[in-house]
Amino acid sequence: TTGFGTEQLTWLENTALAVESGWTVLVFTHVPPTAESINGNTHYLSQISDGEDFREVIANSTVDIAGIFCGHCHASAIVTGDLRCPIVTVTTAGGSPYDSAEGARAGTTTETAIDIVSVNKATRTVDITRLGIGSDRSFTY
């Protein structure tokens, strides 16, 4: 179990999310801060010791947050659970026993999955362009 700790959560709330009006924030973390199902698994929140505290900071922030971007679960997903912004995950590089939707690809032209994130603030749309295995995705926030 990993966690953020009081100092990191305080910094997240008082520094990272304390941006001027007109700015939009993208949050990146390794373990998805969600209890929602990602690729059939629902245990991710318990893997962060301060997961509920992290979620509370996000929920109570008044800043415009376009999304929380994560890895760890080795699956491409967009989870729109109870947080005010989507949680976006990316699959793993190479073949993965965790992501049954992805075939073995080590040594191929699709070996590594890379997501390029573009934010259109006017339409509040996030486009995710996939380089490698998988497909492009999009959501509004």
Side-chain angles (χ1 to χ4, degrees):
T1 300
T2 58
F4 297 100
T6 303
E7 287 186 28
Q8 285 187 323
L9 292 171
T10 300
W11 181 87
L12 176 65
E13 182 175 20
N14 296 331
T15 304
L17 298 179
V19 297
E20 297 178 21
S21 177
W23 284 85
T24 298
V25 173
L26 304 174
V27 177
F28 292 81
T29 183
H30 181 74
V31 179
T34 182
E36 306 296 325
S37 174
I38 297 176
N39 200 32
N41 294 313
T42 58
H43 63 276
Y44 298 108
L45 187 61
S46 64
Q47 292 182 348
I48 303 177
S49 61
D50 304 312
E52 293 291 349
D53 296 333
F54 178 91
R55 291 167 62 81
E56 185 176 332
V57 169
I58 297 296
N60 291 333
S61 174
T62 58
V63 71
D64 193 28
I65 302 174
I68 301 172
F69 297 81
C70 318
H72 186 67
C73 62
H74 299 213
S76 292
I78 299 175
V79 177
T80 54
D82 63 343
L83 285 178
R84 55 196 283 276
C85 58
I87 297 172
V88 181
T89 63
V90 63
T91 190
T92 185
S96 171
Y98 303 106
D99 193 346
S100 60
E102 308 293 357
R105 57 190 190 273
T108 71
T109 58
T110 60
E111 179 170 5
T112 298
I114 299 173
D115 282 340
I116 295 87
V117 179
S118 304
V119 180
N120 184 329
K121 288 180 60 174
T123 63
R124 299 183 59 82
T125 302
V126 176
D127 290 324
I128 304 167
T129 304
R130 173 59 55 87
L131 173 63
I133 195 75
S135 59
D136 297 346
R137 299 173 284 163
S138 183
F139 64 90
T140 57
Y141 63 99

